[in-house]
PDB file of all heavy atoms in Angstrom:
ATOM      1  N   ALA A 337     -42.093  63.075  23.425  1.00 70.00           N
ATOM      2  CA  ALA A 337     -42.618  63.110  24.742  1.00 70.00           C
ATOM      3  C   ALA A 337     -42.259  64.348  25.457  1.00 70.00           C
ATOM      4  O   ALA A 337     -43.030  64.973  26.283  1.00 70.00           O
ATOM      5  CB  ALA A 337     -42.015  61.897  25.455  1.00 70.00           C
ATOM      6  N   ARG A 338     -40.961  64.845  25.237  1.00 69.00           N
ATOM      7  CA  ARG A 338     -40.525  66.095  25.846  1.00 69.00           C
ATOM      8  C   ARG A 338     -41.318  67.247  25.416  1.00 69.00           C
ATOM      9  O   ARG A 338     -41.740  68.161  26.164  1.00 69.00           O
ATOM     10  CB  ARG A 338     -39.069  66.287  25.519  1.00 69.00           C
ATOM     11  CG  ARG A 338     -38.460  67.497  26.278  1.00 69.00           C
ATOM     12  CD  ARG A 338     -36.956  67.662  25.906  1.00 69.00           C
ATOM     13  NE  ARG A 338     -36.853  67.956  24.467  1.00 69.00           N
ATOM     14  CZ  ARG A 338     -37.068  69.258  24.002  1.00 69.00           C
ATOM     15  NH1 ARG A 338     -37.456  70.194  24.761  1.00 69.00           N
ATOM     16  NH2 ARG A 338     -36.926  69.405  22.700  1.00 69.00           N
ATOM     17  N   ARG A 339     -41.667  67.313  24.013  1.00 69.00           N
ATOM     18  CA  ARG A 339     -42.296  68.498  23.524  1.00 69.00           C
ATOM     19  C   ARG A 339     -43.904  68.446  23.749  1.00 69.00           C
ATOM     20  O   ARG A 339     -44.466  69.455  23.973  1.00 69.00           O
ATOM     21  CB  ARG A 339     -42.101  68.604  22.038  1.00 69.00           C
ATOM     22  CG  ARG A 339     -40.646  68.937  21.648  1.00 69.00           C
ATOM     23  CD  ARG A 339     -40.468  68.903  20.213  1.00 69.00           C
ATOM     24  NE  ARG A 339     -41.418  69.685  19.472  1.00 69.00           N
ATOM     25  CZ  ARG A 339     -41.713  69.604  18.184  1.00 69.00           C
ATOM     26  NH1 ARG A 339     -41.155  68.605  17.478  1.00 69.00           N
ATOM     27  NH2 ARG A 339     -42.620  70.385  17.681  1.00 69.00           N
ATOM     28  N   LEU A 340     -44.457  67.189  23.719  1.00 67.00           N
ATOM     29  CA  LEU A 340     -45.971  67.076  23.698  1.00 67.00           C
ATOM     30  C   LEU A 340     -46.410  66.721  25.121  1.00 67.00           C
ATOM     31  O   LEU A 340     -47.498  67.266  25.546  1.00 67.00           O
ATOM     32  CB  LEU A 340     -46.388  66.060  22.728  1.00 67.00           C
ATOM     33  CG  LEU A 340     -46.034  66.374  21.283  1.00 67.00           C
ATOM     34  CD1 LEU A 340     -46.464  65.252  20.332  1.00 67.00           C
ATOM     35  CD2 LEU A 340     -46.716  67.729  20.858  1.00 67.00           C
ATOM     36  N   LEU A 341     -45.773  65.697  25.719  1.00 72.00           N
ATOM     37  CA  LEU A 341     -46.323  65.238  27.090  1.00 72.00           C
ATOM     38  C   LEU A 341     -45.888  66.048  28.299  1.00 72.00           C
ATOM     39  O   LEU A 341     -46.686  66.351  29.231  1.00 72.00           O
ATOM     40  CB  LEU A 341     -46.043  63.771  27.273  1.00 72.00           C
ATOM     41  CG  LEU A 341     -46.615  62.833  26.211  1.00 72.00           C
ATOM     42  CD1 LEU A 341     -46.132  61.410  26.545  1.00 72.00           C
ATOM     43  CD2 LEU A 341     -48.144  62.840  26.222  1.00 72.00           C
ATOM     44  N   MET A 342     -44.541  66.346  28.253  1.00 74.00           N
ATOM     45  CA  MET A 342     -43.956  67.007  29.415  1.00 74.00           C
ATOM     46  C   MET A 342     -44.581  68.326  29.733  1.00 74.00           C
ATOM     47  O   MET A 342     -44.863  68.596  30.944  1.00 74.00           O
ATOM     48  CB  MET A 342     -42.486  67.117  29.318  1.00 74.00           C
ATOM     49  CG  MET A 342     -41.792  65.779  29.268  1.00 74.00           C
ATOM     50  SD  MET A 342     -42.122  64.705  30.674  1.00 74.00           S
ATOM     51  CE  MET A 342     -41.209  65.546  31.872  1.00 74.00           C
ATOM     52  N   PRO A 343     -44.985  69.139  28.793  1.00 73.00           N
ATOM     53  CA  PRO A 343     -45.646  70.410  29.181  1.00 73.00           C
ATOM     54  C   PRO A 343     -46.972  70.229  29.842  1.00 73.00           C
ATOM     55  O   PRO A 343     -47.337  70.931  30.739  1.00 73.00           O
ATOM     56  CB  PRO A 343     -45.883  71.126  27.773  1.00 73.00           C
ATOM     57  CG  PRO A 343     -44.703  70.573  26.937  1.00 73.00           C
ATOM     58  CD  PRO A 343     -44.583  69.086  27.377  1.00 73.00           C
ATOM     59  N   ILE A 344     -47.750  69.109  29.350  1.00 75.00           N
ATOM     60  CA  ILE A 344     -49.054  68.889  29.969  1.00 75.00           C
ATOM     61  C   ILE A 344     -48.827  68.375  31.412  1.00 75.00           C
ATOM     62  O   ILE A 344     -49.575  68.859  32.368  1.00 75.00           O
ATOM     63  CB  ILE A 344     -49.776  67.827  29.152  1.00 75.00           C
ATOM     64  CG1 ILE A 344     -50.061  68.432  27.682  1.00 75.00           C
ATOM     65  CG2 ILE A 344     -50.999  67.358  29.861  1.00 75.00           C
ATOM     66  CD1 ILE A 344     -50.619  67.330  26.837  1.00 75.00           C
ATOM     67  N   VAL A 345     -47.870  67.497  31.575  1.00 75.00           N
ATOM     68  CA  VAL A 345     -47.634  66.953  33.043  1.00 75.00           C
ATOM     69  C   VAL A 345     -47.245  68.170  33.900  1.00 75.00           C
ATOM     70  O   VAL A 345     -47.680  68.249  35.118  1.00 75.00           O
ATOM     71  CB  VAL A 345     -46.576  65.911  32.965  1.00 75.00           C
ATOM     72  CG1 VAL A 345     -46.117  65.477  34.365  1.00 75.00           C
ATOM     73  CG2 VAL A 345     -47.069  64.633  32.141  1.00 75.00           C
ATOM     74  N   GLU A 346     -46.348  69.018  33.401  1.00 75.00           N
ATOM     75  CA  GLU A 346     -45.875  70.151  34.185  1.00 75.00           C
ATOM     76  C   GLU A 346     -46.997  71.086  34.586  1.00 75.00           C
ATOM     77  O   GLU A 346     -47.106  71.540  35.712  1.00 75.00           O
ATOM     78  CB  GLU A 346     -44.730  70.844  33.459  1.00 75.00           C
ATOM     79  CG  GLU A 346     -44.185  72.107  34.204  1.00 75.00           C
ATOM     80  CD  GLU A 346     -43.471  71.658  35.466  1.00 75.00           C
ATOM     81  OE1 GLU A 346     -43.038  70.492  35.547  1.00 75.00           O
ATOM     82  OE2 GLU A 346     -43.366  72.516  36.424  1.00 75.00           O
ATOM     83  N   GLY A 347     -47.900  71.306  33.583  1.00 74.00           N
ATOM     84  CA  GLY A 347     -49.052  72.164  33.894  1.00 74.00           C
ATOM     85  C   GLY A 347     -49.933  71.545  35.007  1.00 74.00           C
ATOM     86  O   GLY A 347     -50.375  72.336  35.872  1.00 74.00           O
ATOM     87  N   MET A 348     -50.205  70.254  34.890  1.00 81.00           N
ATOM     88  CA  MET A 348     -51.011  69.553  35.888  1.00 81.00           C
ATOM     89  C   MET A 348     -50.319  69.578  37.227  1.00 81.00           C
ATOM     90  O   MET A 348     -50.954  69.673  38.320  1.00 81.00           O
ATOM     91  CB  MET A 348     -51.317  68.101  35.452  1.00 81.00           C
ATOM     92  CG  MET A 348     -52.224  68.051  34.194  1.00 81.00           C
ATOM     93  SD  MET A 348     -52.412  66.487  33.577  1.00 81.00           S
ATOM     94  CE  MET A 348     -53.342  65.720  34.940  1.00 81.00           C
ATOM     95  N   ARG A 349     -49.034  69.417  37.162  1.00 77.00           N
ATOM     96  CA  ARG A 349     -48.215  69.453  38.478  1.00 77.00           C
ATOM     97  C   ARG A 349     -48.321  70.839  39.234  1.00 77.00           C
ATOM     98  O   ARG A 349     -48.504  70.842  40.430  1.00 77.00           O
ATOM     99  CB  ARG A 349     -46.715  69.154  38.171  1.00 77.00           C
ATOM    100  CG  ARG A 349     -45.838  69.171  39.419  1.00 77.00           C
ATOM    101  CD  ARG A 349     -44.432  68.856  38.980  1.00 77.00           C
ATOM    102  NE  ARG A 349     -43.534  68.919  40.128  1.00 77.00           N
ATOM    103  CZ  ARG A 349     -43.066  70.057  40.660  1.00 77.00           C
ATOM    104  NH1 ARG A 349     -43.369  71.252  40.080  1.00 77.00           N
ATOM    105  NH2 ARG A 349     -42.237  70.046  41.778  1.00 77.00           N
ATOM    106  N   ARG A 350     -48.395  71.846  38.495  1.00 77.00           N
ATOM    107  CA  ARG A 350     -48.407  73.187  39.096  1.00 77.00           C
ATOM    108  C   ARG A 350     -49.760  73.398  39.774  1.00 77.00           C
ATOM    109  O   ARG A 350     -49.887  74.063  40.674  1.00 77.00           O
ATOM    110  CB  ARG A 350     -48.188  74.289  38.014  1.00 77.00           C
ATOM    111  CG  ARG A 350     -46.696  74.402  37.598  1.00 77.00           C
ATOM    112  CD  ARG A 350     -46.450  75.717  37.026  1.00 77.00           C
ATOM    113  NE  ARG A 350     -47.230  75.859  35.715  1.00 77.00           N
ATOM    114  CZ  ARG A 350     -46.724  75.527  34.511  1.00 77.00           C
ATOM    115  NH1 ARG A 350     -45.528  75.031  34.410  1.00 77.00           N
ATOM    116  NH2 ARG A 350     -47.504  75.680  33.483  1.00 77.00           N
ATOM    117  N   LYS A 351     -50.744  72.818  39.179  1.00 79.00           N
ATOM    118  CA  LYS A 351     -52.190  72.925  39.759  1.00 79.00           C
ATOM    119  C   LYS A 351     -52.457  71.916  40.866  1.00 79.00           C
ATOM    120  O   LYS A 351     -53.414  72.044  41.597  1.00 79.00           O
ATOM    121  CB  LYS A 351     -53.195  72.719  38.610  1.00 79.00           C
ATOM    122  CG  LYS A 351     -53.115  73.804  37.552  1.00 79.00           C
ATOM    123  CD  LYS A 351     -54.140  73.524  36.441  1.00 79.00           C
ATOM    124  CE  LYS A 351     -54.002  74.532  35.314  1.00 79.00           C
ATOM    125  NZ  LYS A 351     -54.997  74.268  34.240  1.00 79.00           N
ATOM    126  N   ALA A 352     -51.627  70.901  41.020  1.00 80.00           N
ATOM    127  CA  ALA A 352     -51.861  69.785  41.988  1.00 80.00           C
ATOM    128  C   ALA A 352     -51.455  70.363  43.408  1.00 80.00           C
ATOM    129  O   ALA A 352     -50.631  71.323  43.566  1.00 80.00           O
ATOM    130  CB  ALA A 352     -51.080  68.591  41.618  1.00 80.00           C
ATOM    131  N   SER A 353     -51.976  69.663  44.386  1.00 81.00           N
ATOM    132  CA  SER A 353     -51.617  69.953  45.854  1.00 81.00           C
ATOM    133  C   SER A 353     -50.203  69.507  46.013  1.00 81.00           C
ATOM    134  O   SER A 353     -49.630  68.664  45.289  1.00 81.00           O
ATOM    135  CB  SER A 353     -52.518  69.196  46.757  1.00 81.00           C
ATOM    136  OG  SER A 353     -52.389  67.830  46.596  1.00 81.00           O
ATOM    137  N   PRO A 354     -49.585  70.051  47.093  1.00 77.00           N
ATOM    138  CA  PRO A 354     -48.214  69.624  47.337  1.00 77.00           C
ATOM    139  C   PRO A 354     -48.103  68.116  47.565  1.00 77.00           C
ATOM    140  O   PRO A 354     -47.031  67.525  47.197  1.00 77.00           O
ATOM    141  CB  PRO A 354     -47.917  70.319  48.610  1.00 77.00           C
ATOM    142  CG  PRO A 354     -48.794  71.617  48.610  1.00 77.00           C
ATOM    143  CD  PRO A 354     -50.067  71.135  48.028  1.00 77.00           C
ATOM    144  N   ALA A 355     -49.091  67.541  48.097  1.00 71.00           N
ATOM    145  CA  ALA A 355     -49.038  66.080  48.373  1.00 71.00           C
ATOM    146  C   ALA A 355     -48.969  65.252  47.053  1.00 71.00           C
ATOM    147  O   ALA A 355     -48.381  64.213  46.906  1.00 71.00           O
ATOM    148  CB  ALA A 355     -50.210  65.644  49.242  1.00 71.00           C
ATOM    149  N   ASP A 356     -49.708  65.816  46.005  1.00 78.00           N
ATOM    150  CA  ASP A 356     -49.760  65.074  44.748  1.00 78.00           C
ATOM    151  C   ASP A 356     -48.650  65.436  43.739  1.00 78.00           C
ATOM    152  O   ASP A 356     -48.460  64.685  42.790  1.00 78.00           O
ATOM    153  CB  ASP A 356     -51.135  65.370  44.032  1.00 78.00           C
ATOM    154  CG  ASP A 356     -52.335  64.845  44.775  1.00 78.00           C
ATOM    155  OD1 ASP A 356     -52.113  63.732  45.452  1.00 78.00           O
ATOM    156  OD2 ASP A 356     -53.394  65.315  44.674  1.00 78.00           O
ATOM    157  N   ARG A 357     -47.904  66.494  44.108  1.00 76.00           N
ATOM    158  CA  ARG A 357     -46.855  66.870  43.119  1.00 76.00           C
ATOM    159  C   ARG A 357     -45.774  65.699  43.057  1.00 76.00           C
ATOM    160  O   ARG A 357     -45.134  65.545  41.991  1.00 76.00           O
ATOM    161  CB  ARG A 357     -46.136  68.187  43.698  1.00 76.00           C
ATOM    162  CG  ARG A 357     -46.961  69.388  43.428  1.00 76.00           C
ATOM    163  CD  ARG A 357     -46.401  70.591  43.935  1.00 76.00           C
ATOM    164  NE  ARG A 357     -47.247  71.781  43.763  1.00 76.00           N
ATOM    165  CZ  ARG A 357     -47.027  73.040  44.134  1.00 76.00           C
ATOM    166  NH1 ARG A 357     -45.852  73.199  44.857  1.00 76.00           N
ATOM    167  NH2 ARG A 357     -47.859  73.987  43.949  1.00 76.00           N
ATOM    168  N   ARG A 358     -45.658  64.934  44.197  1.00 75.00           N
ATOM    169  CA  ARG A 358     -44.661  63.893  44.142  1.00 75.00           C
ATOM    170  C   ARG A 358     -45.049  62.838  43.049  1.00 75.00           C
ATOM    171  O   ARG A 358     -44.207  62.300  42.349  1.00 75.00           O
ATOM    172  CB  ARG A 358     -44.623  63.188  45.522  1.00 75.00           C
ATOM    173  CG  ARG A 358     -43.825  61.945  45.635  1.00 75.00           C
ATOM    174  CD  ARG A 358     -42.362  62.276  45.408  1.00 75.00           C
ATOM    175  NE  ARG A 358     -41.501  61.061  45.632  1.00 75.00           N
ATOM    176  CZ  ARG A 358     -40.274  60.961  45.337  1.00 75.00           C
ATOM    177  NH1 ARG A 358     -39.587  62.018  44.687  1.00 75.00           N
ATOM    178  NH2 ARG A 358     -39.542  59.922  45.613  1.00 75.00           N
ATOM    179  N   GLN A 359     -46.386  62.597  42.955  1.00 76.00           N
ATOM    180  CA  GLN A 359     -46.833  61.680  41.930  1.00 76.00           C
ATOM    181  C   GLN A 359     -46.604  62.214  40.473  1.00 76.00           C
ATOM    182  O   GLN A 359     -46.191  61.507  39.617  1.00 76.00           O
ATOM    183  CB  GLN A 359     -48.374  61.471  42.104  1.00 76.00           C
ATOM    184  CG  GLN A 359     -48.737  60.771  43.379  1.00 76.00           C
ATOM    185  CD  GLN A 359     -48.203  59.323  43.400  1.00 76.00           C
ATOM    186  OE1 GLN A 359     -48.150  58.675  42.393  1.00 76.00           O
ATOM    187  NE2 GLN A 359     -47.895  58.896  44.640  1.00 76.00           N
ATOM    188  N   PHE A 360     -46.747  63.544  40.288  1.00 77.00           N
ATOM    189  CA  PHE A 360     -46.532  64.116  39.005  1.00 77.00           C
ATOM    190  C   PHE A 360     -44.944  64.096  38.744  1.00 77.00           C
ATOM    191  O   PHE A 360     -44.574  63.927  37.510  1.00 77.00           O
ATOM    192  CB  PHE A 360     -47.063  65.600  38.869  1.00 77.00           C
ATOM    193  CG  PHE A 360     -48.575  65.604  38.695  1.00 77.00           C
ATOM    194  CD1 PHE A 360     -49.398  65.934  39.709  1.00 77.00           C
ATOM    195  CD2 PHE A 360     -49.068  65.275  37.447  1.00 77.00           C
ATOM    196  CE1 PHE A 360     -50.768  65.952  39.532  1.00 77.00           C
ATOM    197  CE2 PHE A 360     -50.504  65.371  37.260  1.00 77.00           C
ATOM    198  CZ  PHE A 360     -51.292  65.604  38.310  1.00 77.00           C
ATOM    199  N   ASP A 361     -44.194  64.298  39.689  1.00 77.00           N
ATOM    200  CA  ASP A 361     -42.697  64.138  39.511  1.00 77.00           C
ATOM    201  C   ASP A 361     -42.329  62.731  39.056  1.00 77.00           C
ATOM    202  O   ASP A 361     -41.531  62.577  38.139  1.00 77.00           O
ATOM    203  CB  ASP A 361     -41.923  64.508  40.774  1.00 77.00           C
ATOM    204  CG  ASP A 361     -41.990  66.064  41.181  1.00 77.00           C
ATOM    205  OD1 ASP A 361     -42.292  66.782  40.210  1.00 77.00           O
ATOM    206  OD2 ASP A 361     -41.801  66.311  42.302  1.00 77.00           O
ATOM    207  N   LEU A 362     -42.951  61.789  39.641  1.00 76.00           N
ATOM    208  CA  LEU A 362     -42.702  60.390  39.319  1.00 76.00           C
ATOM    209  C   LEU A 362     -43.189  60.154  37.932  1.00 76.00           C
ATOM    210  O   LEU A 362     -42.498  59.422  37.117  1.00 76.00           O
ATOM    211  CB  LEU A 362     -43.373  59.453  40.309  1.00 76.00           C
ATOM    212  CG  LEU A 362     -43.185  57.968  40.146  1.00 76.00           C
ATOM    213  CD1 LEU A 362     -41.650  57.724  40.126  1.00 76.00           C
ATOM    214  CD2 LEU A 362     -43.873  57.165  41.122  1.00 76.00           C
ATOM    215  N   LEU A 363     -44.333  60.705  37.498  1.00 77.00           N
ATOM    216  CA  LEU A 363     -44.897  60.509  36.192  1.00 77.00           C
ATOM    217  C   LEU A 363     -43.927  61.056  35.092  1.00 77.00           C
ATOM    218  O   LEU A 363     -43.638  60.374  34.057  1.00 77.00           O
ATOM    219  CB  LEU A 363     -46.218  61.133  36.108  1.00 77.00           C
ATOM    220  CG  LEU A 363     -46.891  61.140  34.674  1.00 77.00           C
ATOM    221  CD1 LEU A 363     -47.101  59.755  34.238  1.00 77.00           C
ATOM    222  CD2 LEU A 363     -48.238  61.911  34.681  1.00 77.00           C
ATOM    223  N   ALA A 364     -43.447  62.287  35.381  1.00 76.00           N
ATOM    224  CA  ALA A 364     -42.497  62.951  34.511  1.00 76.00           C
ATOM    225  C   ALA A 364     -41.231  62.070  34.321  1.00 76.00           C
ATOM    226  O   ALA A 364     -40.625  61.871  33.250  1.00 76.00           O
ATOM    227  CB  ALA A 364     -42.217  64.338  34.944  1.00 76.00           C
ATOM    228  N   GLN A 365     -40.759  61.535  35.513  1.00 74.00           N
ATOM    229  CA  GLN A 365     -39.546  60.727  35.412  1.00 74.00           C
ATOM    230  C   GLN A 365     -39.791  59.452  34.624  1.00 74.00           C
ATOM    231  O   GLN A 365     -38.868  58.990  33.906  1.00 74.00           O
ATOM    232  CB  GLN A 365     -39.064  60.401  36.861  1.00 74.00           C
ATOM    233  CG  GLN A 365     -37.820  59.538  36.976  1.00 74.00           C
ATOM    234  CD  GLN A 365     -37.398  59.350  38.357  1.00 74.00           C
ATOM    235  OE1 GLN A 365     -37.965  59.948  39.368  1.00 74.00           O
ATOM    236  NE2 GLN A 365     -36.360  58.481  38.527  1.00 74.00           N
ATOM    237  N   ASN A 366     -40.967  58.800  34.870  1.00 73.00           N
ATOM    238  CA  ASN A 366     -41.288  57.596  34.197  1.00 73.00           C
ATOM    239  C   ASN A 366     -41.315  57.782  32.625  1.00 73.00           C
ATOM    240  O   ASN A 366     -40.856  57.023  31.926  1.00 73.00           O
ATOM    241  CB  ASN A 366     -42.572  56.971  34.666  1.00 73.00           C
ATOM    242  CG  ASN A 366     -42.364  56.351  36.077  1.00 73.00           C
ATOM    243  OD1 ASN A 366     -41.262  56.109  36.478  1.00 73.00           O
ATOM    244  ND2 ASN A 366     -43.548  56.112  36.736  1.00 73.00           N
ATOM    245  N   ILE A 367     -41.972  58.883  32.233  1.00 72.00           N
ATOM    246  CA  ILE A 367     -42.018  59.220  30.775  1.00 72.00           C
ATOM    247  C   ILE A 367     -40.601  59.347  30.254  1.00 72.00           C
ATOM    248  O   ILE A 367     -40.286  58.757  29.137  1.00 72.00           O
ATOM    249  CB  ILE A 367     -42.818  60.435  30.583  1.00 72.00           C
ATOM    250  CG1 ILE A 367     -44.297  60.260  30.981  1.00 72.00           C
ATOM    251  CG2 ILE A 367     -42.692  61.049  29.084  1.00 72.00           C
ATOM    252  CD1 ILE A 367     -45.208  61.547  30.915  1.00 72.00           C
TER     253      ILE A 367
END
Side-chain angles (χ1 to χ4, degrees):
R338 185 182 65 79
R339 291 174 55 200
L340 301 176
L341 296 179
M342 294 304 289
I344 297 174
V345 172
E346 181 61 25
M348 295 174 66
R349 177 180 176 278
R350 284 196 299 268
K351 295 177 182 180
S353 64
D356 292 333
R357 286 179 183 175
R358 175 65 175 168
Q359 294 294 327
F360 284 106
D361 289 340
L362 183 59
L363 176 60
Q365 182 179 348
N366 285 346
I367 292 173

